[in-house]
Amino acid sequence: DQGLLPLLQRRNLRVLHVGDNSLSAECMKTIGQFTELYELALDGLPVTDASLAELEKPPNLTDLRLVGCKQLTDACGSTLARLPKLSSLRVDATGLGDEGVRGLSESKSLSNLSLFGTNTTDASVPHLSRIKSLTQLGVQATALTATGVKQLAAALPQCNIRSDHGKFEPIKSFVLTRDKQPAGAFATLAEAFAHLGDDNVIEIHGNGPFSVGTVEAIGKKSLTMRSAPGYRGRIVATANERNLVFNCTGTQILTVEG
């Protein structure tokens, strides 16, 4: 643990990977003092459920790896859900199970989650289905059945799911016509916005709800968003956004249909 103390002189440390399994759970108190951290890997360390509370101190922690932290149990789920900006989490080969996933489902920011080798079963399906911000989910080497994974894919159509029963690609619901030419189909509205031209039509194939963060269409001639025939697309703000934000500064014509 003493090896971490010299690093305290670098209070602006933003990325830290610690792989020395001789460190104790007490090292978490030191790690909690690095308030500028955004990426942290603690693979194989004797991290405990209680010590994870120290990770609430770095306010901008977005990427966390806890692979092989065997002492972690279901109790860690609710603690991890309280990390306000956590978007990527790996808890592979830990003691996390269905109750832990229930706690984790309260997260407002998770987009990438790996549960490889955990005690997860089909009982976790309704909890994982609540995390609408997920775009990447790994559930290999768990007790999830083919039926459970299919239910997840239906509940999270914008999520890339990797499982022992196959890989489920996101449904590409946003079809873009750019300058009167087909420009492709995209899994998220943000991806479609990233490929806008001057004159644009985005057709939504699906009812949703589709979770969307802030998107921009600045200085375009026109932008039309409409539901495809047979659908009534519903767009909602992501869990960590208070409102839908479409920045269309300088766009001459903005049309929303259906």
Side-chain angles (χ1 to χ4, degrees), residues 90 112-115 135-141 144 149 159-168:
R90 289 193 62 178
N112 190 336
L113 174 62
S114 179
L115 298 170
T135 58
Q136 297 285 335
L137 175 62
V139 290
Q140 306 99 312
L144 275 164
V149 175
C159 186
N160 187 324
I161 301 175
R162 305 174 305 281
S163 79
D164 295 337
H165 309 287
K167 185 176 180 180
F168 293 78

Side-chain angles (χ1 to χ4, degrees), residues 7-176:
L7 292 176
L8 287 176
Q9 299 177 16
R10 299 184 59 186
R11 294 286 183 172
N12 62 344
L13 193 69
R14 303 185 69 189
V15 178
L16 178 62
H17 290 197
V18 183
D20 185 352
N21 60 14
S22 67
L23 293 175
S24 71
E26 290 297 307
C27 75
M28 295 295 288
K29 293 181 179 180
T30 303
I31 291 173
Q33 297 181 54
F34 297 113
T35 55
E36 298 298 316
L37 276 180
Y38 72 84
E39 180 180 323
L40 176 63
L42 301 173
D43 296 353
L45 295 185
V47 179
T48 64
D49 298 327
S51 66
L52 280 182
E54 296 293 332
L55 298 185
E56 296 184 54
K57 296 176 181 177
N60 297 312
L61 186 62
T62 61
D63 190 324
L64 178 60
R65 286 175 50 111
L66 298 168
V67 176
C69 295
K70 302 291 186 181
Q71 295 186 38
L72 292 179
T73 71
D74 283 335
C76 75
S78 56
T79 302
L80 293 169
R82 290 197 297 270
L83 303 182
K85 294 188 178 180
L86 187 64
S87 62
S88 180
L89 174 65
R90 289 193 62 178
V91 285
D92 307 4
T94 64
L96 191 79
D98 298 325
E99 284 303 307
V101 174
R102 181 197 294 270
L104 196 57
S105 70
E106 299 297 327
S107 173
K108 305 298 183 184
S109 55
L110 265 184
S111 60
N112 190 336
L113 174 62
S114 179
L115 298 170
F116 183 98
T118 59
N119 301 320
T120 311
T121 73
D122 284 356
S124 285
V125 170
H127 310 318
L128 290 169
S129 297
R130 293 176 57 195
I131 313 177
K132 298 299 183 183
S133 54
L134 282 177
T135 58
Q136 297 285 335
L137 175 62
V139 290
Q140 306 99 312
T142 67
L144 275 164
T145 66
T147 298
V149 175
K150 288 179 181 178
Q151 291 172 344
L152 270 178
L156 301 171
Q158 294 176 277
C159 186
N160 187 324
I161 301 175
R162 305 174 305 281
S163 79
D164 295 337
H165 309 287
K167 185 176 180 180
F168 293 78
E169 300 283 352
I171 297 173
K172 296 182 177 181
S173 299
F174 300 92
V175 178
L176 172 64

Side-chain angles (χ1 to χ4, degrees), residues 176-250:
L176 172 64
T177 300
R178 179 180 61 209
D179 301 326
K180 299 183 179 180
Q181 297 294 323
F186 304 91
T188 67
L189 186 61
E191 290 176 315
F193 265 62
H195 290 80
L196 294 179
D198 200 23
D199 289 289
N200 309 276
V201 176
I202 297 176
E203 199 168 63
I204 303 171
H205 293 251
N207 295 319
F210 300 101
S211 297
V212 177
T214 300
V215 289
E216 295 183 344
I218 298 174
K220 308 301 180 184
K221 183 176 180 181
S222 68
L223 171 60
T224 297
M225 289 193 297
R226 65 187 181 213
S227 297
Y231 296 106
R232 291 186 63 84
R234 180 176 170 227
I235 296 175
V236 298
T238 54
N240 57 336
E241 300 275 355
R242 290 187 177 182
N243 301 293
L244 280 171
V245 179
F246 291 88
N247 183 357
C248 297
T249 304

